[in-house]
Amino acid sequence: LAVKDPTAVERANLLNMAKLSIKGLIESALSFGRTLDSDYPPLQQFFVVMEHCLKHGLKVRKSFLSYNKTIWGPLELVEKLYPEAEEIAASVRDLPGLKTPLGRARAWLRLALMQKKMADYLRCLIIQRDLLSEFYEYHALMMEEEGAVIVGLLVGLNVIDANLCVKGEDLDSQVGVIDFSMYLKSDDDVGGKERNVQIAAILDQKNYVEELNRQLNSTVSSLHARVDSLEKSNTKLIEELAIAKNNIIKLQEENHQLRSENTLILMKTQHHLEATKVDVEAELQTYKHSRQGLDEMYNEARRQLREESQLRQDMENELVVQVSMKHEIELAMKLLEKDIHEKQDTLIGLRQQLDEVKAINMEMYQKLQVSEDAMKEKNEIIGRLEDKTNQINATMKQLEQRLQQAEKAQMEAEAEDEKLKQEYVTKSESLQKEFSQKEKQLLQLETDLKIEKEWRQTLEGDLQKEKETVSHLRIETQEIINLKKEFLKLQEKNKQLKRICQDQEAALQELASKLSESKLKIEDIKEANKALQGQVWLKDKEATHCKLCEKEFSLSKRKHHCRNCGEIFCNACSDNELPLPSSPKPVRVCDSCHAMLIQRCSSNVP
């Protein structure tokens, strides 16, 4: 006989023991008919067999004090390969009563069995043989095909429900000894074959029902994912609507601000124009009063000159009157100069006011440009809002398509449900309960579809509101255009007022030229008075002889003053009378003055 490899024999024996323990555990659990506790003997033997399988071919690691050979190292790798195993590893590390790595490994196996994921965890380990080579020899059970067979057998343990208390159990000091008496055949086993056949049929039905549950769970998860995606899209649309509403509110506030600014500017311009009108009217009245005063002063001066020509006989009184008139004329000149300076100041003030009005017009023009730019921006925003509404309509169409697809899926699911009802009417009460659960799920789906329809209606209402806001914005833009037209009209009125101010400036210039002419005339009058002041008339007491005939004055030769040269003559030498423009009556003149005046009149000399 050929000598067999002892490691292969060990692997085969462990595989057979694993088959027997798993088969006995499943059969006993189904006959037991309820959840298994930690004191259940077949379950304890299963954990012992699994420890022996995991310990086969395990490498010995040198520690600081002794050699260490535990299965906790490869089981700890599952946390890195399978993310769902992180909870088991964390709970095993946090258990207070465990002190050795073997106790942690036993607790890990018990928790994996309760989760019904022991086969999945060990399958991840078997696939990664490069990592297992660090812990196992090349001939170990976990490195060979027997390990994959054991993992396949462990899938059948998902039928069992276990309720194990790991926290208070002493897992560090347990002795792992296999009890072979549990796996020996007896006479009762022959009679229990029919029962095993029934149990196998029930297990097949249970597996079928579990697969149906998994498929239904997958469909429910897919439907939940669709519902979540629809909710996310709805939330995004709601956020976009909120953003659009905020933008509309901001635009409305900007419109109100622009309107208030326009009204303030119009009020300011009206106040300035009214103030300028009042100032111009007051200045015109002052100019008229000053002109009347100047005319009156000029008439008074002419009248005084006439009075002086009439009253040459009383020289002393006339001189006093002339001195007083001189002082009055000087005061009048000072007043006139002050008036002229004040008028010049008012002219400067008017020019400054005109400059201010020009600056205000420039500011109004700049604000008009700013408002036009704002109108352009608002038109662009309105275009964007229209694009967004088009996008929202497209999304609404997509949602309608999705709803139609969901309704089709619902109809198909209902048809499938009817077929299943017809096919499986004869099945057990458990299947009927599952059908009732399906119907509840369908009701939930119908409620979800109703909720989606309500969302759609709310979205349509929001779209209508947005359209109304867009129409309001258009109305406001038209109002802004009307305000612009009114502003242009105000500009035209301002231009007319400027023309009126220019005309008034021209009138003021004419008044100034006339005032300068009157000033020149007054200066001529002053010069004439100065020429008269240079001549000193003789008194009647000092004059004793006539200037022409040089005869002494007597009763027959009386004294007479010449009204032209002011000298004293006798009545014989001053019999001549001449009409002068300065006096209403003819005036006595001496013979020499008479001859001179007649000669001037004949030669047209004034």
Side-chain angles (χ1 to χ4, degrees):
L1 292 173
V3 179
K4 291 184 179 180
D5 188 4
T7 56
V9 174
E10 289 176 358
R11 290 197 300 271
N13 291 331
L14 287 170
L15 179 61
N16 291 324
M17 285 303 302
K19 287 179 180 178
L20 288 171
S21 64
I22 291 166
K23 184 179 178 182
L25 180 61
I26 292 168
E27 289 176 355
S28 62
L30 290 172
S31 63
F32 195 57
R34 57 189 176 87
T35 57
L36 303 179
D37 298 330
S38 59
D39 296 332
Y40 194 61
L43 186 61
Q44 291 178 355
Q45 288 298 312
F46 167 72
F47 285 127
V48 172
V49 172
M50 284 303 299
E51 285 180 17
H52 284 284
C53 291
L54 291 170
K55 284 180 181 178
H56 185 263
L58 192 66
K59 287 183 180 180
V60 178
R61 290 195 173 188
K62 293 180 181 180
S63 63
F64 184 69
L65 297 174
S66 62
Y67 293 98
N68 190 8
K69 187 177 181 181
T70 59
I71 60 174
W72 175 242
L75 294 177
E76 202 173 7
L77 277 174
V78 180
E79 183 181 0
K80 298 178 182 178
L81 299 174
Y82 203 80
E84 292 182 1
E86 291 178 357
E87 295 180 0
I88 297 174
S91 60
V92 167
R93 290 191 192 96
D94 294 334
L95 284 172
L98 299 177
K99 296 179 181 179
T100 60
L102 184 61
R104 294 190 185 93
R106 288 169 178 170
W108 189 91
L109 288 170
R110 283 157 175 76
L111 292 172
L113 182 65
M114 282 193 288
Q115 280 190 346
K116 297 183 181 181
K117 289 186 179 179
M118 187 185 288
D120 296 331
Y121 294 156
L122 294 177
R123 183 173 59 80
C124 292
L125 272 177
I126 290 166
I127 291 167
Q128 300 293 330
R129 291 188 178 180
D130 296 333
L131 297 173
L132 282 176
S133 62
E134 296 179 1
F135 299 96
Y136 290 101
E137 299 291 342
Y138 68 92
H139 57 80
L141 185 139
M142 296 296 289
M143 299 289 288
E144 296 294 335
E145 294 179 356
E146 286 82 356
V149 174
I150 290 169
V151 170
L153 292 171
L154 290 172
V155 175
L157 294 176
N158 294 332
V159 180
I160 298 169
D161 294 328
N163 188 7
L164 308 175
C165 184
V166 184
K167 189 173 182 182
E169 193 173 358
D170 187 9
L171 299 174
D172 294 329
S173 61
Q174 286 183 0
V175 179
V177 179
I178 299 171
D179 188 6
F180 292 101
S181 63
M182 295 177 66
Y183 307 111
L184 295 174
K185 289 185 178 181
S186 62
D187 295 332
D188 296 330
D189 294 333
V190 177
K193 286 182 180 179
E194 294 178 357
R195 188 180 66 182
N196 290 330
V197 171
Q198 292 176 359
I199 289 166
I202 291 166
L203 286 173
D204 292 334
Q205 288 179 359
K206 189 174 183 181
N207 290 324
Y208 178 70
V209 170
E210 286 181 352
E211 286 178 359
L212 282 174
N213 283 324
R214 286 177 185 174
Q215 290 178 0
L216 289 170
N217 288 323
S218 64
T219 55
V220 167
S221 63
S222 64
L223 288 171
H224 280 299
R226 287 180 183 176
V227 169
D228 292 332
S229 65
L230 288 171
E231 286 179 354
K232 288 178 182 178
S233 63
N234 286 326
T235 52
K236 286 181 181 178
L237 289 170
I238 290 163
E239 289 176 356
E240 288 178 356
L241 285 171
I243 291 163
K245 286 178 181 178
N246 291 324
N247 291 324
I248 288 161
I249 290 163
K250 288 179 181 178
L251 289 170
Q252 288 177 356
E253 290 177 354
E254 288 179 358
N255 283 323
H256 287 301
Q257 289 179 359
L258 289 170
R259 285 181 179 179
S260 61
E261 288 178 359
N262 286 322
T263 53
L264 289 170
I265 290 161
L266 289 170
M267 292 292 288
K268 286 181 181 177
T269 52
Q270 287 177 359
H271 285 302
H272 282 296
L273 290 169
E274 289 175 356
T276 51
K277 283 180 180 179
V278 171
D279 293 332
V280 167
E281 288 176 356
E283 287 171 359
L284 286 170
Q285 289 178 359
T286 51
Y287 284 137
K288 287 178 181 178
H289 288 300
S290 62
R291 188 172 180 182
Q292 289 176 359
L294 288 169
D295 292 333
E296 289 176 357
M297 291 294 291
Y298 183 69
N299 292 322
E300 286 179 359
R302 288 181 68 183
R303 190 178 63 193
Q304 286 173 1
L305 286 171
R306 289 174 182 175
E307 288 176 355
E308 285 176 359
S309 63
Q310 289 177 1
L311 299 173
R312 279 190 179 180
Q313 293 177 359
D314 302 324
M315 291 301 295
E316 292 177 357
N317 296 325
E318 287 177 358
L319 284 171
V320 172
V321 171
Q322 285 179 1
V323 169
S324 64
M325 288 299 293
K326 181 182 176 183
H327 288 296
E328 288 178 358
I329 289 164
E330 287 176 356
L331 290 170
M333 286 301 297
K334 288 179 181 179
L335 292 170
L336 285 171
E337 288 176 355
K338 286 181 182 179
D339 291 331
I340 290 162
H341 288 300
E342 288 176 356
K343 288 170 185 177
Q344 288 177 355
D345 293 332
T346 53
L347 284 170
I348 292 164
L350 283 170
R351 286 175 183 172
Q352 289 177 356
Q353 288 177 358
L354 284 171
D355 293 331
E356 289 177 356
V357 170
K358 289 178 182 178
I360 289 163
N361 287 325
M362 289 296 290
E363 288 178 357
M364 292 288 285
Y365 183 73
Q366 290 176 0
K367 287 180 180 178
L368 246 183
Q369 289 181 351
V370 171
S371 63
E372 287 177 355
D373 295 332
M375 283 294 297
K376 289 178 182 178
E377 290 178 358
K378 287 173 184 177
N379 290 322
E380 290 177 357
I381 290 163
I382 288 163
R384 291 176 185 171
L385 287 171
E386 289 177 353
D387 294 331
K388 285 184 179 180
T389 52
N390 292 323
Q391 291 177 1
I392 290 163
N393 289 321
T395 53
M396 288 296 294
K397 289 179 181 177
Q398 290 178 1
L399 287 170
E400 288 177 356
Q401 291 177 359
R402 289 179 183 175
L403 284 169
Q404 290 176 0
Q405 290 177 0
E407 288 174 356
K408 287 180 182 178
Q410 185 181 357
M411 294 294 289
E412 289 175 359
E414 288 176 356
E416 289 177 359
D417 288 331
E418 289 175 359
K419 289 179 182 178
L420 288 169
K421 285 178 183 178
Q422 290 175 1
E423 290 176 358
Y424 298 105
V425 171
T426 60
K427 286 187 179 181
S428 64
E429 292 178 357
S430 62
L431 292 172
Q432 289 178 358
K433 291 179 182 179
E434 288 174 359
F435 282 123
S436 64
Q437 290 178 358
K438 286 180 184 178
E439 287 176 355
K440 288 179 182 179
Q441 289 175 359
L442 287 170
L443 289 170
Q444 289 179 357
L445 289 170
E446 287 177 355
T447 54
D448 292 333
L449 287 170
K450 288 179 181 178
I451 291 164
E452 286 178 357
K453 287 179 181 178
E454 289 176 357
W455 276 105
R456 179 184 171 189
Q457 289 176 359
T458 53
L459 287 171
E460 287 177 354
D462 292 330
L463 282 171
Q464 289 179 358
K465 289 179 181 178
E466 283 185 353
K467 287 178 181 178
E468 289 176 357
T469 52
V470 168
S471 64
H472 285 303
L473 286 171
R474 286 177 179 172
I475 292 164
E476 287 177 354
T477 51
Q478 289 179 358
E479 289 177 355
I480 290 165
I481 290 164
N482 294 324
L483 288 170
K484 193 175 179 183
K485 290 179 180 178
E486 290 178 359
F487 183 73
L488 292 171
K489 290 179 181 178
L490 288 170
Q491 280 186 345
E492 291 177 357
K493 288 181 180 179
N494 194 2
K495 288 180 181 178
Q496 291 177 0
L497 289 170
K498 280 184 180 178
R499 289 174 185 172
I500 292 164
C501 289
Q502 289 176 359
D503 295 332
Q504 289 176 357
E505 283 180 356
L508 289 171
Q509 288 177 359
E510 290 177 359
L511 287 171
S513 63
K514 290 180 179 179
L515 286 170
S516 62
E517 290 175 359
S518 64
K519 191 174 181 182
L520 291 171
K521 289 179 181 178
I522 289 165
E523 286 177 357
D524 293 332
I525 292 164
K526 281 183 178 180
E527 287 177 358
N529 287 324
K530 286 179 181 178
L532 290 171
Q533 286 175 3
Q535 295 177 358
V536 180
W537 289 7
L538 290 173
K539 295 181 179 180
D540 292 337
K541 293 179 179 179
E542 293 179 356
T544 57
H545 294 81
C546 180
K547 286 284 186 180
L548 287 175
C549 63
E550 294 182 354
K551 292 180 180 180
E552 191 176 356
F553 292 112
S554 62
L555 292 172
S556 59
K557 289 186 178 182
R558 294 183 300 275
K559 295 178 182 179
H560 291 282
H561 288 278
C562 180
R563 302 297 288 178
N564 186 29
C565 62
E567 296 292 335
I568 298 170
F569 298 97
C570 62
N571 53 2
C573 296
S574 59
D575 284 336
N576 302 309
E577 290 183 356
L578 285 174
L580 291 177
S582 59
S583 62
K585 295 179 180 181
V587 179
R588 277 194 173 191
V589 187
C590 62
D591 293 337
S592 59
C593 290
H594 183 264
M596 182 183 68
L597 289 170
I598 289 168
Q599 188 178 0
R600 284 184 181 178
C601 290
S602 61
S603 60
N604 293 324
V605 176

